[in-house]
Amino acid sequence: VYCAQCHGNRFDGQGTVGQSFHPLPTDLRKVEVQSKPAGELFKSVSFGIPGGRQPPLATTITAQDRWHIISFVLDLDAHVSP
């Protein structure tokens, strides 16, 4: 619900809303994302990315669900073909 608007249904950074952003949203399947520690991704989702377009979602999504999102994102490279 929250991620696909910008990151796209394939999590490739091609979401409808995200196409108006400069730079474009990150492709969540890229090695730069997949190689980050889970805690770093959790912090980015929770508090946003300074200078980036990632909004802080700590008050919108429960901590448990944010961890589920991180698990899902880190599992993308195994299940989503480029």
Side-chain angles (χ1 to χ4, degrees), residues 4-27:
Q5 302 299 316
C6 295
H7 293 283
N9 291 332
R10 295 178 50 80
F11 312 102
D12 56 4
Q14 300 297 314
T16 305
V17 174
Q19 295 311 292
S20 64
F21 296 165
H22 296 285
L24 291 173
T26 301
D27 180 340

Side-chain angles (χ1 to χ4, degrees), residues 19-72:
Q19 295 311 292
S20 64
F21 296 165
H22 296 285
L24 291 173
T26 301
D27 180 340
L28 298 176
R29 304 167 304 168
K30 291 178 92 173
V31 69
E32 292 86 2
V33 174
Q34 295 297 313
S35 63
K36 287 187 179 184
E40 186 176 333
L41 293 172
F42 183 82
K43 181 179 175 186
S44 295
V45 169
S46 298
F47 304 110
I49 298 175
R53 294 278 189 167
Q54 174 63 47
L57 296 172
T59 60
T60 306
I61 302 173
T62 67
Q64 181 178 9
D65 284 343
R66 281 179 272 140
W67 280 115
H68 289 156
I69 290 167
I70 299 312
S71 293
F72 177 83

